Amino acid sequence: MAEIKPSHLTASGYGDFVDFLADFEGAFSPIDPLPSVLEWCGVIRDFSYPNPEPKGHDRMLGMADAIHLMTCIFARDELGLQDIVFHTMDDGKHKNAEGKCVTLLNFEKWVEGIPKNPYTPKIVALPRKPPIHPAPRFDI
């Protein structure tokens, strides 16, 4: 939610954040990251990810990206939402406040040679797809 700027919502015609959530309330339920999820985020952010492109620079995993990914893993593994899909438009073409980070849609390409940890294989196994919402104002 911290990544959704009120000015962007207004410019897109959604109104405020409460209006935005009301539009999607039948499609998703917000989940707050627990301290254990944030601890998992620290683990997956603790190293550089080798760039799979020749002559490419290693990248880091962004803070918000880590929180999104690990909260999704938590929802799947701890809350039992087995049919969960991680929706993102992050294909690595843009910079964020932390610079150019690991792409989320192709995360599996960035894990060769990183330290073994219990979370990376879970992220690789997580279905990750661009969002599909042809009618975002459709009553759900």
Side-chain angles (χ1 to χ4, degrees):
M1 291 184 191
E3 286 192 304
I4 301 173
K5 299 176 188 174
S7 60
H8 178 75
L9 289 175
T10 303
S12 299
Y14 282 105
D16 64 16
F17 193 75
V18 174
D19 294 333
F20 173 77
L21 285 179
D23 281 348
F24 290 97
E25 68 184 339
F28 74 90
S29 298
I31 299 173
D32 294 327
L34 299 170
S36 59
V37 171
L38 297 175
E39 180 183 336
W40 301 349
C41 293
V43 171
I44 63 172
R45 293 192 68 226
D46 197 29
F47 34 81
S48 294
Y49 288 81
N51 196 320
E53 299 290 324
K55 300 183 184 178
H57 298 290
D58 290 358
R59 295 187 186 176
M60 62 177 287
L61 183 61
M63 174 80 72
D65 294 344
I67 292 170
H68 292 165
L69 287 167
M70 296 317 299
T71 301
C72 192
I73 297 295
F74 173 82
R76 185 192 66 197
D77 295 354
E78 304 298 325
L79 300 180
L81 303 175
Q82 296 303 310
D83 60 348
I84 200 163
V85 176
F86 184 87
H87 291 283
T88 181
M89 293 180 282
D90 184 342
D91 59 2
K93 293 181 183 173
H94 304 286
K95 290 182 180 180
N96 64 22
E98 296 174 284
K100 204 123 163 112
C101 295
V102 175
T103 174
L104 301 184
L105 286 173
N106 299 307
F107 181 85
E108 68 279 356
K109 293 180 180 179
W110 293 83
V111 300
E112 185 76 29
I114 63 167
K116 185 175 173 125
N117 67 83
Y119 310 113
T120 301
K122 292 180 180 197
I123 297 169
V124 169
L126 183 67
R128 297 173 315 279
K129 298 180 181 182
I132 301 171
H133 38 75
R137 292 192 169 273
F138 186 71
D139 286 336
I140 298 178

